[in-house]
Amino acid sequence: SAALSTEEASASSAAVRDSKDICRQLGIPHLVADFRQIFEEKVRLPFVEGYLAGITPNPCVNCNKHIKFPAFFDFARQHGYDRIATGHYANVVCDNGVHRIKKAACGEKDQSYMLYNLTEELLSHIELPLGGFSKDEIRAFAADVGLSVSSKPDSQDICFIPDKDTPAYLTTQMAQMGVSLSAGNFIDQNGKVLGPHKGIWNYTLGQHKRLGIALGSSRYVSAIDPTENTVTLVEDEQLIFSQSAFAKDVNLIHPLEYNGSFRAAVKPRYGKREAEATIYPPENGDGLFRIEFDQPQRALTPGQSLVFYKGDELIGGGICFLK
Protein backbone atom coordinates (compact mmCIF):
# COMPACT_ATOMS: atom_id res chain seq x y z
CA SER A 1 0.00 0.00 0.00
CA ALA A 2 1.02 3.61 -0.48
CA ALA A 3 3.04 5.27 2.25
CA LEU A 4 1.06 8.31 3.41
CA SER A 5 2.59 11.30 5.12
CA THR A 6 1.08 12.34 8.45
CA GLU A 7 -0.70 15.22 6.73
CA GLU A 8 -2.02 12.99 3.93
CA ALA A 9 -3.19 10.33 6.36
CA SER A 10 -4.94 12.96 8.46
CA ALA A 11 -6.76 14.35 5.42
CA SER A 12 -7.78 10.84 4.36
CA SER A 13 -9.04 10.00 7.85
CA ALA A 14 -11.04 13.24 7.97
CA ALA A 15 -12.71 12.40 4.63
CA VAL A 16 -13.67 8.95 5.92
CA ARG A 17 -15.09 10.44 9.12
CA ASP A 18 -17.10 12.99 7.12
CA SER A 19 -18.56 10.34 4.82
CA LYS A 20 -19.41 8.13 7.79
CA ASP A 21 -21.19 11.02 9.52
CA ILE A 22 -23.20 11.78 6.37
CA CYS A 23 -24.26 8.16 5.98
CA ARG A 24 -25.35 8.06 9.61
CA GLN A 25 -27.40 11.23 9.15
CA LEU A 26 -29.04 9.86 6.00
CA GLY A 27 -29.54 6.38 7.42
CA ILE A 28 -27.63 4.49 4.73
CA PRO A 29 -24.82 1.90 5.03
CA HIS A 30 -21.22 3.08 5.08
CA LEU A 31 -18.54 0.94 3.44
CA VAL A 32 -14.84 1.77 3.02
CA ALA A 33 -12.83 0.51 0.03
CA ASP A 34 -9.04 0.41 0.32
CA PHE A 35 -7.57 1.46 -3.04
CA ARG A 36 -4.21 2.62 -1.71
CA GLN A 37 -2.14 0.11 -3.67
CA ILE A 38 -3.73 0.85 -7.03
CA PHE A 39 -3.61 4.57 -6.23
CA GLU A 40 0.13 4.31 -5.62
CA GLU A 41 0.73 2.31 -8.81
CA LYS A 42 -1.59 4.14 -11.19
CA VAL A 43 -1.81 7.69 -9.85
CA ARG A 44 0.78 8.92 -7.37
CA LEU A 45 3.91 7.19 -8.67
CA PRO A 46 3.20 8.00 -12.36
CA PHE A 47 2.68 11.61 -11.27
CA VAL A 48 6.16 11.77 -9.72
CA GLU A 49 7.80 9.82 -12.55
CA GLY A 50 6.11 12.05 -15.12
CA TYR A 51 7.76 15.17 -13.76
CA LEU A 52 11.06 13.34 -13.67
CA ALA A 53 10.57 12.56 -17.38
CA GLY A 54 9.98 16.23 -18.18
CA ILE A 55 6.19 16.12 -18.63
CA THR A 56 3.33 17.65 -16.64
CA PRO A 57 0.87 14.86 -15.73
CA ASN A 58 -2.69 15.21 -14.50
CA PRO A 59 -3.26 12.78 -11.59
CA CYS A 60 -7.02 13.43 -11.43
CA VAL A 61 -7.43 12.05 -14.95
CA ASN A 62 -5.58 8.86 -13.98
CA CYS A 63 -7.54 8.54 -10.75
CA ASN A 64 -10.83 8.65 -12.66
CA LYS A 65 -9.48 6.24 -15.29
CA HIS A 66 -8.31 3.59 -12.84
CA ILE A 67 -10.03 4.14 -9.49
CA LYS A 68 -13.06 6.40 -9.17
CA PHE A 69 -14.99 4.56 -11.83
CA PRO A 70 -13.75 1.05 -12.78
CA ALA A 71 -12.31 0.02 -9.40
CA PHE A 72 -15.17 1.68 -7.52
CA PHE A 73 -17.77 0.01 -9.76
CA ASP A 74 -16.15 -3.39 -9.30
CA PHE A 75 -16.25 -2.85 -5.52
CA ALA A 76 -19.90 -1.83 -5.72
CA ARG A 77 -20.87 -4.91 -7.75
CA GLN A 78 -19.08 -7.16 -5.26
CA HIS A 79 -21.36 -5.72 -2.59
CA GLY A 80 -24.59 -6.10 -4.56
CA TYR A 81 -24.93 -2.67 -6.18
CA ASP A 82 -25.30 -2.10 -9.92
CA ARG A 83 -24.95 1.71 -10.03
CA ILE A 84 -22.46 4.17 -8.60
CA ALA A 85 -22.55 7.95 -8.08
CA THR A 86 -19.77 10.51 -7.77
CA GLY A 87 -19.65 14.23 -7.06
CA HIS A 88 -18.30 15.31 -10.46
CA TYR A 89 -19.94 18.35 -12.00
CA ALA A 90 -21.03 16.82 -15.32
CA ASN A 91 -24.11 15.05 -16.69
CA VAL A 92 -24.82 11.57 -18.00
CA VAL A 93 -27.76 11.50 -20.39
CA CYS A 94 -29.39 8.59 -22.23
CA ASP A 95 -30.19 9.45 -25.85
CA ASN A 96 -32.15 6.71 -27.67
CA GLY A 97 -30.52 4.07 -25.50
CA VAL A 98 -27.03 5.55 -25.88
CA HIS A 99 -25.36 7.03 -22.79
CA ARG A 100 -23.42 10.25 -23.26
CA ILE A 101 -21.51 12.75 -21.09
CA LYS A 102 -22.58 16.37 -21.26
CA LYS A 103 -21.08 19.43 -19.63
CA ALA A 104 -22.36 20.61 -16.25
CA ALA A 105 -25.03 23.29 -16.12
CA CYS A 106 -22.60 25.50 -14.18
CA GLY A 107 -19.82 26.10 -16.70
CA GLU A 108 -17.27 27.38 -14.22
CA LYS A 109 -17.52 24.13 -12.21
CA ASP A 110 -17.70 21.76 -15.20
CA GLN A 111 -15.48 18.71 -14.64
CA SER A 112 -16.30 16.73 -17.78
CA TYR A 113 -12.67 17.26 -18.90
CA MET A 114 -11.61 14.70 -16.27
CA LEU A 115 -14.01 12.00 -17.48
CA TYR A 116 -12.96 11.32 -21.08
CA ASN A 117 -11.67 7.81 -20.28
CA LEU A 118 -15.14 6.52 -19.44
CA THR A 119 -16.85 3.97 -21.67
CA GLU A 120 -20.42 3.44 -22.81
CA GLU A 121 -20.59 0.35 -20.57
CA LEU A 122 -19.53 2.27 -17.46
CA LEU A 123 -21.76 5.23 -18.33
CA SER A 124 -24.81 2.96 -18.20
CA HIS A 125 -24.06 2.36 -14.50
CA ILE A 126 -23.11 5.89 -13.41
CA GLU A 127 -25.05 8.71 -11.76
CA LEU A 128 -23.65 12.25 -11.65
CA PRO A 129 -26.29 13.99 -9.53
CA LEU A 130 -24.51 17.35 -9.19
CA GLY A 131 -24.32 18.19 -12.90
CA GLY A 132 -27.48 20.27 -13.01
CA PHE A 133 -26.58 22.53 -10.10
CA SER A 134 -24.08 25.14 -8.99
CA LYS A 135 -21.76 24.61 -6.02
CA ASP A 136 -23.72 27.21 -4.03
CA GLU A 137 -26.97 25.31 -4.65
CA ILE A 138 -25.40 22.04 -3.51
CA ARG A 139 -24.12 23.69 -0.32
CA ALA A 140 -27.61 25.07 0.30
CA PHE A 141 -29.18 21.62 -0.18
CA ALA A 142 -26.69 20.13 2.27
CA ALA A 143 -27.37 22.85 4.82
CA ASP A 144 -31.15 22.40 4.48
CA VAL A 145 -30.91 18.73 5.50
CA GLY A 146 -28.40 19.48 8.23
CA LEU A 147 -25.30 17.82 6.75
CA SER A 148 -22.18 18.71 8.70
CA VAL A 149 -20.11 19.21 5.52
CA SER A 150 -22.29 21.94 4.01
CA SER A 151 -19.64 24.59 4.70
CA LYS A 152 -16.58 22.38 4.19
CA PRO A 153 -13.91 24.04 2.01
CA ASP A 154 -13.54 22.91 -1.59
CA SER A 155 -11.26 19.94 -2.15
CA GLN A 156 -7.58 20.48 -2.93
CA ASP A 157 -6.29 20.53 -6.52
CA ILE A 158 -4.15 17.44 -5.84
CA CYS A 159 -5.46 15.43 -2.91
CA PHE A 160 -2.11 13.94 -1.91
CA ILE A 161 -0.42 17.38 -1.77
CA PRO A 162 -2.57 19.08 0.90
CA ASP A 163 -0.43 22.22 1.15
CA LYS A 164 -0.50 22.75 -2.67
CA ASP A 165 3.30 23.08 -2.78
CA THR A 166 3.93 20.72 -5.70
CA PRO A 167 7.61 21.62 -6.25
CA ALA A 168 8.46 20.96 -2.58
CA TYR A 169 6.52 17.69 -2.65
CA LEU A 170 8.32 16.55 -5.80
CA THR A 171 11.72 17.51 -4.43
CA THR A 172 11.06 15.41 -1.32
CA GLN A 173 9.89 12.50 -3.45
CA MET A 174 12.94 12.69 -5.71
CA ALA A 175 15.24 12.60 -2.67
CA GLN A 176 13.40 9.54 -1.29
CA MET A 177 13.77 7.84 -4.69
CA GLY A 178 17.50 8.49 -4.69
CA VAL A 179 17.30 10.85 -7.66
CA SER A 180 20.24 13.24 -7.92
CA LEU A 181 19.11 16.73 -6.98
CA SER A 182 22.06 18.39 -8.65
CA ALA A 183 20.94 21.46 -10.56
CA GLY A 184 20.93 21.49 -14.34
CA ASN A 185 21.00 24.54 -16.54
CA PHE A 186 18.65 26.95 -18.17
CA ILE A 187 19.62 27.38 -21.82
CA ASP A 188 18.36 29.57 -24.65
CA GLN A 189 17.07 28.22 -27.97
CA ASN A 190 20.65 28.18 -29.30
CA GLY A 191 21.96 26.09 -26.40
CA LYS A 192 23.70 28.93 -24.57
CA VAL A 193 23.78 28.39 -20.80
CA LEU A 194 21.83 31.08 -18.96
CA GLY A 195 22.27 29.83 -15.40
CA PRO A 196 21.32 26.95 -13.08
CA HIS A 197 17.77 25.73 -12.50
CA LYS A 198 16.33 24.00 -9.42
CA GLY A 199 15.37 20.67 -11.01
CA ILE A 200 13.28 20.05 -14.12
CA TRP A 201 10.26 19.00 -12.02
CA ASN A 202 9.86 22.63 -10.91
CA TYR A 203 8.87 23.79 -14.41
CA THR A 204 6.20 23.33 -17.04
CA LEU A 205 5.91 24.50 -20.64
CA GLY A 206 4.78 28.11 -20.94
CA GLN A 207 5.81 29.02 -17.38
CA HIS A 208 7.27 32.51 -17.03
CA LYS A 209 6.91 33.25 -13.31
CA ARG A 210 8.88 31.90 -10.35
CA LEU A 211 11.66 30.64 -12.61
CA GLY A 212 14.36 31.50 -10.08
CA ILE A 213 16.58 33.34 -12.54
CA ALA A 214 16.90 37.06 -13.30
CA LEU A 215 17.65 37.84 -16.93
CA GLY A 216 16.40 41.40 -17.25
CA SER A 217 13.32 40.52 -19.29
CA SER A 218 10.57 37.92 -19.32
CA ARG A 219 11.43 34.39 -20.39
CA TYR A 220 9.13 31.47 -21.16
CA VAL A 221 9.80 27.76 -20.76
CA SER A 222 9.73 26.28 -24.28
CA ALA A 223 11.27 22.83 -23.67
CA ILE A 224 12.33 20.48 -20.87
CA ASP A 225 15.00 17.88 -21.58
CA PRO A 226 15.35 15.23 -18.85
CA THR A 227 18.29 13.56 -20.61
CA GLU A 228 20.41 16.70 -20.66
CA ASN A 229 18.79 18.09 -17.49
CA THR A 230 18.08 21.39 -19.23
CA VAL A 231 15.18 23.82 -19.36
CA THR A 232 15.00 26.00 -22.47
CA LEU A 233 13.89 29.61 -22.04
CA VAL A 234 12.87 31.96 -24.87
CA GLU A 235 12.13 35.68 -24.93
CA ASP A 236 9.57 35.60 -27.74
CA GLU A 237 6.29 34.25 -26.39
CA GLN A 238 5.20 33.36 -29.91
CA LEU A 239 7.80 30.58 -29.88
CA ILE A 240 5.71 28.60 -27.37
CA PHE A 241 2.64 28.59 -29.65
CA SER A 242 1.93 25.48 -31.75
CA GLN A 243 -0.75 24.69 -34.30
CA SER A 244 -0.48 20.92 -34.04
CA ALA A 245 0.04 18.21 -31.45
CA PHE A 246 -0.39 14.48 -31.03
CA ALA A 247 -2.52 12.59 -28.53
CA LYS A 248 -1.63 9.13 -27.21
CA ASP A 249 -3.73 6.71 -25.14
CA VAL A 250 -6.81 8.13 -26.86
CA ASN A 251 -10.24 7.02 -25.71
CA LEU A 252 -13.30 7.76 -27.85
CA ILE A 253 -16.43 7.10 -25.83
CA HIS A 254 -18.36 6.07 -28.94
CA PRO A 255 -15.58 5.09 -31.37
CA LEU A 256 -17.88 3.77 -34.11
CA GLU A 257 -19.28 7.29 -34.55
CA TYR A 258 -15.87 8.62 -35.63
CA ASN A 259 -14.37 6.96 -38.67
CA GLY A 260 -11.48 8.80 -40.29
CA SER A 261 -10.79 12.42 -39.44
CA PHE A 262 -13.35 14.53 -37.61
CA ARG A 263 -13.89 18.04 -36.32
CA ALA A 264 -14.05 18.81 -32.61
CA ALA A 265 -13.49 21.54 -30.07
CA VAL A 266 -10.35 20.55 -28.17
CA LYS A 267 -9.59 21.61 -24.62
CA PRO A 268 -5.79 21.50 -24.23
CA ARG A 269 -5.70 21.81 -20.44
CA TYR A 270 -8.17 21.98 -17.57
CA GLY A 271 -9.09 25.63 -17.12
CA LYS A 272 -8.25 26.58 -20.71
CA ARG A 273 -10.76 27.37 -23.41
CA GLU A 274 -11.62 24.91 -26.12
CA ALA A 275 -10.21 25.48 -29.60
CA GLU A 276 -11.59 24.27 -32.92
CA ALA A 277 -9.49 21.57 -34.55
CA THR A 278 -9.42 18.66 -36.96
CA ILE A 279 -8.45 15.30 -35.47
CA TYR A 280 -6.77 12.67 -37.63
CA PRO A 281 -6.61 8.97 -36.64
CA PRO A 282 -3.27 7.10 -36.38
CA GLU A 283 -1.60 6.55 -39.72
CA ASN A 284 1.61 4.68 -38.87
CA GLY A 285 0.44 2.11 -36.36
CA ASP A 286 1.86 4.21 -33.53
CA GLY A 287 -1.53 4.90 -31.96
CA LEU A 288 -1.02 8.67 -32.11
CA PHE A 289 -3.93 10.88 -33.13
CA ARG A 290 -2.86 14.13 -34.80
CA ILE A 291 -4.64 17.33 -33.81
CA GLU A 292 -4.47 20.30 -36.16
CA PHE A 293 -5.83 23.43 -34.54
CA ASP A 294 -7.45 26.17 -36.60
CA GLN A 295 -5.41 28.71 -34.63
CA PRO A 296 -2.02 28.31 -32.86
CA GLN A 297 -2.31 27.34 -29.20
CA ARG A 298 -0.12 28.51 -26.34
CA ALA A 299 2.11 26.01 -24.54
CA LEU A 300 0.61 22.67 -25.55
CA THR A 301 2.02 20.57 -22.73
CA PRO A 302 3.12 16.90 -22.83
CA GLY A 303 1.39 14.92 -20.09
CA GLN A 304 -1.71 17.10 -20.01
CA SER A 305 -4.92 15.88 -21.63
CA LEU A 306 -6.29 17.02 -24.97
CA VAL A 307 -10.04 16.55 -24.55
CA PHE A 308 -12.54 16.50 -27.42
CA TYR A 309 -16.03 18.02 -27.46
CA LYS A 310 -18.88 18.27 -29.93
CA GLY A 311 -21.07 21.06 -28.65
CA ASP A 312 -21.68 20.31 -24.98
CA GLU A 313 -20.94 16.59 -25.39
CA LEU A 314 -17.65 15.08 -24.26
CA ILE A 315 -16.60 12.64 -26.99
CA GLY A 316 -13.10 11.57 -25.89
CA GLY A 317 -9.52 12.63 -25.40
CA GLY A 318 -5.92 11.57 -24.92
CA ILE A 319 -2.56 12.58 -23.48
CA CYS A 320 -0.70 15.39 -25.22
CA PHE A 321 2.47 14.20 -26.95
CA LEU A 322 4.85 16.41 -28.92
CA LYS A 323 7.12 14.76 -31.46
Side-chain angles (χ1 to χ4, degrees):
S1 63
L4 299 179
S5 69
T6 301
E7 192 172 10
E8 290 168 340
S10 176
S12 176
S13 298
V16 172
R17 287 196 301 271
D18 286 342
S19 64
K20 186 174 182 179
D21 287 344
I22 292 171
C23 288
R24 186 179 66 251
Q25 288 179 266
L26 298 177
I28 59 178
H30 180 258
L31 301 174
V32 177
D34 187 346
F35 295 136
R36 284 177 293 177
Q37 183 172 346
I38 189 174
F39 186 86
E40 174 75 359
E41 295 173 355
K42 299 294 187 181
V43 181
R44 198 198 68 81
L45 190 56
F47 172 81
V48 175
E49 291 176 337
Y51 273 96
L52 188 57
I55 68 172
T56 306
N58 188 321
C60 298
V61 167
N62 277 341
C63 187
N64 288 327
K65 179 179 180 178
H66 297 289
I67 299 174
K68 285 189 178 177
F69 292 96
F72 177 27
F73 182 51
D74 287 345
F75 176 85
R77 282 194 298 189
Q78 291 168 14
H79 289 81
Y81 302 94
D82 63 359
R83 300 187 70 75
I84 61 174
T86 75
H88 290 91
Y89 282 85
N91 288 296
V92 176
V93 299
C94 187
D95 180 12
N96 293 321
V98 179
H99 293 83
R100 302 182 183 277
I101 305 178
K102 300 292 185 73
K103 294 179 182 177
C106 181
E108 65 182 24
K109 281 293 183 182
D110 177 57
Q111 293 175 310
S112 60
Y113 175 93
M114 303 293 183
L115 306 179
Y116 70 85
N117 282 300
L118 290 175
T119 63
E120 161 71 12
E121 168 61 20
L122 273 172
L123 286 176
S124 67
H125 297 278
I126 290 172
E127 299 281 350
L128 301 178
L130 305 191
F133 304 96
S134 70
K135 189 63 171 280
D136 288 342
E137 288 175 311
I138 296 301
R139 288 190 182 281
F141 294 155
D144 286 344
V145 297
L147 296 185
S148 58
V149 294
S150 61
S151 59
K152 185 177 180 178
D154 287 355
S155 57
Q156 303 289 337
D157 291 338
I158 300 177
C159 65
F160 53 89
I161 309 180
D163 63 2
K164 297 185 179 183
D165 192 343
T166 300
Y169 177 83
L170 289 169
T171 298
T172 299
Q173 293 299 311
M174 299 303 174
Q176 292 177 354
M177 294 168 62
V179 175
S180 173
L181 300 182
S182 59
N185 286 316
F186 288 115
I187 60 174
D188 66 15
Q189 62 264 44
N190 298 314
K192 178 184 176 182
V193 174
L194 302 174
H197 64 61
K198 299 177 181 178
I200 61 171
W201 51 88
N202 290 283
Y203 310 98
T204 187
L205 264 63
Q207 182 178 338
H208 68 284
K209 295 180 179 179
R210 297 183 296 276
L211 294 174
I213 186 171
L215 296 169
S217 61
S218 294
R219 296 290 199 281
Y220 303 86
V221 175
S222 67
I224 298 171
D225 187 335
T227 302
E228 298 296 327
N229 195 16
T230 58
V231 176
T232 302
L233 302 179
V234 296
E235 288 189 81
D236 184 358
E237 188 176 6
Q238 293 303 309
L239 293 176
I240 64 173
F241 279 74
S242 304
Q243 198 147 356
S244 64
F246 291 87
K248 64 179 182 178
D249 301 330
V250 168
N251 179 64
L252 294 175
I253 297 171
H254 302 289
L256 297 181
E257 296 181 4
Y258 299 95
N259 293 318
S261 62
F262 59 92
R263 295 282 295 172
V266 178
K267 195 168 188 175
R269 198 163 181 163
Y270 187 67
K272 281 196 173 184
R273 293 182 178 179
E274 298 155 24
E276 296 296 323
T278 301
I279 301 172
Y280 297 89
E283 298 175 348
N284 304 315
D286 56 9
L288 296 177
F289 283 65
R290 178 166 56 93
I291 295 94
E292 293 290 341
F293 291 93
D294 292 0
Q295 301 294 329
Q297 301 297 303
R298 185 187 186 280
L300 296 172
T301 306
Q304 290 291 294
S305 292
L306 298 166
V307 179
F308 315 149
Y309 292 88
K310 179 168 285 188
D312 67 346
E313 181 184 352
L314 169 69
I315 62 175
I319 303 299
C320 181
F321 181 84
L322 303 179
K323 285 189 173 180

mmCIF file of all heavy atoms in Angstrom, residues 161 164-172 201-203:
data_model
loop_
_atom_site.group_PDB
_atom_site.id
_atom_site.type_symbol
_atom_site.label_atom_id
_atom_site.label_comp_id
_atom_site.label_asym_id
_atom_site.label_seq_id
_atom_site.Cartn_x
_atom_site.Cartn_y
_atom_site.Cartn_z
ATOM 1 N N ILE A 161 -1.316 16.253 -2.078
ATOM 2 C CA ILE A 161 -0.425 17.382 -1.765
ATOM 3 C C ILE A 161 -1.280 18.441 -1.068
ATOM 4 O O ILE A 161 -1.663 19.454 -1.662
ATOM 5 C CB ILE A 161 0.244 17.960 -3.028
ATOM 6 C CG1 ILE A 161 0.899 16.846 -3.848
ATOM 7 C CG2 ILE A 161 1.290 19.019 -2.656
ATOM 8 C CD1 ILE A 161 1.580 17.326 -5.123
ATOM 9 N N LYS A 164 -0.538 22.214 -1.309
ATOM 10 C CA LYS A 164 -0.503 22.754 -2.671
ATOM 11 C C LYS A 164 0.902 23.092 -3.158
ATOM 12 O O LYS A 164 1.058 23.661 -4.243
ATOM 13 C CB LYS A 164 -1.394 23.999 -2.803
ATOM 14 C CG LYS A 164 -2.871 23.746 -2.563
ATOM 15 C CD LYS A 164 -3.671 25.006 -2.839
ATOM 16 C CE LYS A 164 -5.165 24.741 -2.629
ATOM 17 N NZ LYS A 164 -5.983 25.940 -2.957
ATOM 18 N N ASP A 165 1.929 22.756 -2.383
ATOM 19 C CA ASP A 165 3.302 23.076 -2.785
ATOM 20 C C ASP A 165 3.877 21.903 -3.584
ATOM 21 O O ASP A 165 4.636 21.087 -3.057
ATOM 22 C CB ASP A 165 4.158 23.367 -1.550
ATOM 23 C CG ASP A 165 5.519 23.987 -1.913
ATOM 24 O OD1 ASP A 165 5.919 23.892 -3.095
ATOM 25 O OD2 ASP A 165 6.168 24.549 -1.006
ATOM 26 N N THR A 166 3.506 21.842 -4.850
ATOM 27 C CA THR A 166 3.926 20.720 -5.695
ATOM 28 C C THR A 166 5.439 20.625 -5.844
ATOM 29 O O THR A 166 6.006 19.527 -5.730
ATOM 30 C CB THR A 166 3.247 20.803 -7.070
ATOM 31 O OG1 THR A 166 1.819 20.751 -6.887
ATOM 32 C CG2 THR A 166 3.666 19.652 -7.974
ATOM 33 N N PRO A 167 6.161 21.731 -6.120
ATOM 34 C CA PRO A 167 7.615 21.617 -6.245
ATOM 35 C C PRO A 167 8.284 21.036 -5.000
ATOM 36 O O PRO A 167 9.177 20.191 -5.107
ATOM 37 C CB PRO A 167 8.060 23.060 -6.503
ATOM 38 C CG PRO A 167 6.880 23.694 -7.167
ATOM 39 C CD PRO A 167 5.698 23.090 -6.479
ATOM 40 N N ALA A 168 7.861 21.478 -3.811
ATOM 41 C CA ALA A 168 8.458 20.959 -2.582
ATOM 42 C C ALA A 168 8.140 19.471 -2.415
ATOM 43 O O ALA A 168 8.999 18.679 -2.019
ATOM 44 C CB ALA A 168 7.943 21.738 -1.373
ATOM 45 N N TYR A 169 6.906 19.103 -2.739
ATOM 46 C CA TYR A 169 6.515 17.692 -2.650
ATOM 47 C C TYR A 169 7.375 16.847 -3.586
ATOM 48 O O TYR A 169 7.898 15.793 -3.198
ATOM 49 C CB TYR A 169 5.042 17.550 -3.015
ATOM 50 C CG TYR A 169 4.551 16.112 -3.017
ATOM 51 C CD1 TYR A 169 4.152 15.492 -1.834
ATOM 52 C CD2 TYR A 169 4.491 15.378 -4.204
ATOM 53 C CE1 TYR A 169 3.705 14.179 -1.837
ATOM 54 C CE2 TYR A 169 4.049 14.062 -4.213
ATOM 55 C CZ TYR A 169 3.656 13.473 -3.032
ATOM 56 O OH TYR A 169 3.227 12.170 -3.033
ATOM 57 N N LEU A 170 7.542 17.310 -4.825
ATOM 58 C CA LEU A 170 8.316 16.551 -5.803
ATOM 59 C C LEU A 170 9.784 16.457 -5.394
ATOM 60 O O LEU A 170 10.417 15.409 -5.545
ATOM 61 C CB LEU A 170 8.186 17.196 -7.184
ATOM 62 C CG LEU A 170 6.810 17.041 -7.846
ATOM 63 C CD1 LEU A 170 6.708 17.946 -9.069
ATOM 64 C CD2 LEU A 170 6.553 15.594 -8.229
ATOM 65 N N THR A 171 10.329 17.538 -4.870
ATOM 66 C CA THR A 171 11.724 17.514 -4.434
ATOM 67 C C THR A 171 11.927 16.473 -3.334
ATOM 68 O O THR A 171 12.898 15.708 -3.349
ATOM 69 C CB THR A 171 12.150 18.907 -3.926
ATOM 70 O OG1 THR A 171 12.049 19.848 -5.014
ATOM 71 C CG2 THR A 171 13.586 18.891 -3.433
ATOM 72 N N THR A 172 10.989 16.415 -2.386
ATOM 73 C CA THR A 172 11.065 15.411 -1.325
ATOM 74 C C THR A 172 10.974 14.002 -1.901
ATOM 75 O O THR A 172 11.730 13.103 -1.511
ATOM 76 C CB THR A 172 9.937 15.634 -0.305
ATOM 77 O OG1 THR A 172 10.083 16.931 0.286
ATOM 78 C CG2 THR A 172 9.978 14.578 0.790
ATOM 79 N N TRP A 201 11.622 19.209 -12.497
ATOM 80 C CA TRP A 201 10.259 19.003 -12.017
ATOM 81 C C TRP A 201 9.621 20.275 -11.470
ATOM 82 O O TRP A 201 8.445 20.295 -11.134
ATOM 83 C CB TRP A 201 10.245 17.922 -10.944
ATOM 84 C CG TRP A 201 11.248 18.127 -9.845
ATOM 85 C CD1 TRP A 201 11.076 18.844 -8.704
ATOM 86 C CD2 TRP A 201 12.582 17.625 -9.804
ATOM 87 N NE1 TRP A 201 12.214 18.821 -7.942
ATOM 88 C CE2 TRP A 201 13.169 18.071 -8.598
ATOM 89 C CE3 TRP A 201 13.350 16.840 -10.662
ATOM 90 C CZ2 TRP A 201 14.474 17.763 -8.232
ATOM 91 C CZ3 TRP A 201 14.650 16.533 -10.300
ATOM 92 C CH2 TRP A 201 15.202 16.986 -9.102
ATOM 93 N N ASN A 202 10.394 21.356 -11.383
ATOM 94 C CA ASN A 202 9.857 22.633 -10.915
ATOM 95 C C ASN A 202 9.246 23.470 -12.029
ATOM 96 O O ASN A 202 8.755 24.575 -11.766
ATOM 97 C CB ASN A 202 10.956 23.452 -10.238
ATOM 98 C CG ASN A 202 11.381 22.870 -8.905
ATOM 99 O OD1 ASN A 202 10.678 23.032 -7.903
ATOM 100 N ND2 ASN A 202 12.506 22.182 -8.886
ATOM 101 N N TYR A 203 9.252 22.958 -13.271
ATOM 102 C CA TYR A 203 8.872 23.786 -14.409
ATOM 103 C C TYR A 203 7.891 23.060 -15.326
ATOM 104 O O TYR A 203 7.845 21.833 -15.377
ATOM 105 C CB TYR A 203 10.124 24.192 -15.195
ATOM 106 C CG TYR A 203 11.201 24.764 -14.310
ATOM 107 C CD1 TYR A 203 12.258 23.972 -13.870
ATOM 108 C CD2 TYR A 203 11.129 26.078 -13.849
ATOM 109 C CE1 TYR A 203 13.229 24.475 -13.019
ATOM 110 C CE2 TYR A 203 12.093 26.586 -12.993
ATOM 111 C CZ TYR A 203 13.143 25.782 -12.578
ATOM 112 O OH TYR A 203 14.100 26.279 -11.716
#
